[in-house]
């Protein structure tokens, strides 16, 4: 699996994987069967936009507007995060 996500890909969280906020620890979690991933607030914002409707390009645009950041920086970071989660099989496209 060396392929990376493209801007026109539409990522989605597969069945059995959930994004949750742990009130006790005050952290965002991505829960998958038999494993979990701690997420920082930015990663949680990215995954909050993964709805199976928005493309990677749409997600990048929304985050660039929200954070008032250079789109190239956002694009590199978003694709890196989504690609890593896809390789770990906690994200589909």
């Amino acid at each position: 699996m060396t392929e990376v996500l493209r801007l026109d890909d539409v990522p989605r969280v597969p069945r059995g994987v959930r994004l949750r906020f742990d009130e006790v620890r005050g952290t965002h979690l991505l829960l998958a069967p038999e494993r979990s991933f701690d997420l920082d607030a930015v990663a949680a914002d990215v995954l909050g936009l993964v709805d199976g409707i928005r493309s990677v390009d749409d997600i990048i645009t929304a985050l660039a507007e929200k954070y008032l950041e250079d789109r190239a920086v956002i694009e590199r970071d978003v694709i890196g995060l989504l690609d890593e989660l896809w390789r770990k099989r906690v994200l589909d496209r």
Side-chain angles (χ1 to χ4, degrees), residues 20-31 35-40:
R20 296 279 186 242
F21 183 74
D22 183 340
E23 297 282 341
V24 174
R25 296 186 332 172
T27 187
H28 296 275
L29 300 170
L30 185 63
L31 304 174
R35 53 196 169 143
S36 69
F37 302 89
D38 290 336
L39 304 173
D40 63 21

Side-chain angles (χ1 to χ4, degrees), residues 69-82:
E69 181 62 66
D70 178 43
R71 184 180 163 82
V73 171
I74 297 286
E75 182 175 324
R76 182 182 65 239
D77 292 345
V78 167
I79 289 177
L81 171 67
L82 296 179

